[in-house]
Amino acid sequence: MSAPSSPPRIVLIEDHTLVRQLLAALVREHLQTDLAGEGISVNDGITLARRLVPDLMVVDWSLPDGNAADLIQSIVGEFPTIRWLIVSSHDDETVLRSALALGVHGIVLKQSPLETFLKAMKQVLAGGSFYCPRSSRLLVESLRSEAPVLGSALTLREREILRGLSRGLNLKEIADLAGCSVKTVQNQTSQLKDKLGIRDPAGLILYAQRNGLLASNP
């Protein structure tokens, strides 16, 4: 009999007490675990990340001593396995693009219902990505303005890469499914980014989702 898996280590960085307590209760009720740590600032986040090395850090974008970008940039090199879920009251395209460029795994705007936040946590913890409907819409509108290439212009291999990325697969796993080398996937991913004018993997996934490119058949 296999040993039961340990509960995920989740750290929440949120300076508004009511929001922090509400999200902590949601984690406790639906994930059957207490938060491993709580903080209210960038400095708290850095300290807790180094002490706990959590599986997931849920971070408010705006904090008293900076923002989530400051926190992520400070420790991502030390702890590349930490997954990041950003919550934000700003539905500003610039903020969302900044978060995307940092390689965060999920974004939930605070206008979203609690069910959306819970779904985001579960999906990001499972290794996937999640963007709430409004953040996804804003990001895709921005990406479309920069990347007018139609889905029909993409090759079958490029669609395979997009599907693999959307499933949270790494380059080797995508290469195995596509029946090619990792180097080939690297090269074609780079070409795909150039073709669409999108530099980050999360942006590619969002573009594919909104343009119907993730179906099994080309």
Side-chain angles (χ1 to χ4, degrees):
M1 180 182 297
S2 60
S5 58
S6 58
R9 296 185 307 279
I10 302 172
V11 168
L12 172 61
I13 307 298
E14 165 63 64
D15 60 311
H16 292 94
T17 302
L18 178 61
V19 176
R20 189 173 65 254
Q21 291 179 347
L22 183 61
L23 297 183
L26 193 68
V27 169
R28 191 160 45 248
E29 178 181 356
H30 292 276
L31 298 183
Q32 286 75 55
T33 184
D34 285 316
L35 291 172
E38 299 179 41
I40 64 170
S41 66
V42 171
N43 187 60
D44 286 348
I46 294 172
T47 299
L48 289 167
R50 288 175 172 159
R51 177 160 60 87
L52 300 171
V53 192
D55 300 297
L56 172 66
M57 290 197 69
V58 181
V59 185
D60 187 4
W61 180 262
S62 298
L63 297 167
D65 56 346
N67 60 37
D70 301 318
L71 172 53
I72 295 171
Q73 290 169 339
S74 295
I75 62 173
V76 69
E78 296 178 62
F79 307 106
T81 61
I82 293 176
R83 299 186 67 77
W84 298 91
L85 174 60
I86 300 300
V87 293
S88 177
S89 59
H90 305 287
D91 59 354
D92 180 272
E93 178 186 305
T94 302
V95 170
L96 297 175
R97 290 298 299 269
S98 296
L100 200 64
L102 289 166
V104 304
H105 304 93
I107 301 172
V108 176
L109 297 178
K110 289 184 178 178
Q111 299 92 321
S112 304
L114 290 176
E115 291 81 2
T116 298
F117 174 75
L118 179 62
K119 182 177 180 181
M121 276 200 306
K122 289 182 176 178
Q123 195 154 318
V124 172
L125 277 169
S129 300
F130 185 92
Y131 303 90
C132 71
R134 175 147 181 80
S135 68
S136 178
R137 184 166 59 252
L138 290 170
L139 286 165
V140 168
E141 288 172 356
S142 172
L143 293 171
R144 277 178 169 167
S145 69
E146 298 179 9
V149 177
L150 298 176
S152 59
L154 300 182
T155 67
L156 176 60
R157 181 61 54 74
E158 287 168 342
R159 291 180 183 227
E160 290 176 336
I161 290 171
L162 286 175
R163 285 196 290 271
L165 291 173
S166 73
R167 292 168 55 192
L169 303 182
N170 59 39
L171 293 182
K172 184 180 185 308
E173 291 168 328
I174 295 173
D176 290 343
L177 287 176
C180 62
S181 68
V182 173
K183 184 65 174 176
T184 296
V185 174
Q186 288 176 326
N187 291 339
Q188 296 200 350
T189 301
S190 178
Q191 293 169 8
L192 180 60
K193 289 177 179 179
D194 290 339
K195 179 183 287 188
L196 295 176
I198 300 171
R199 304 313 309 169
D200 48 271
L204 291 175
I205 295 169
L206 286 168
Y207 181 87
Q209 288 173 339
R210 296 296 292 184
N211 286 276
L213 303 179
L214 299 183
S216 298
N217 297 318

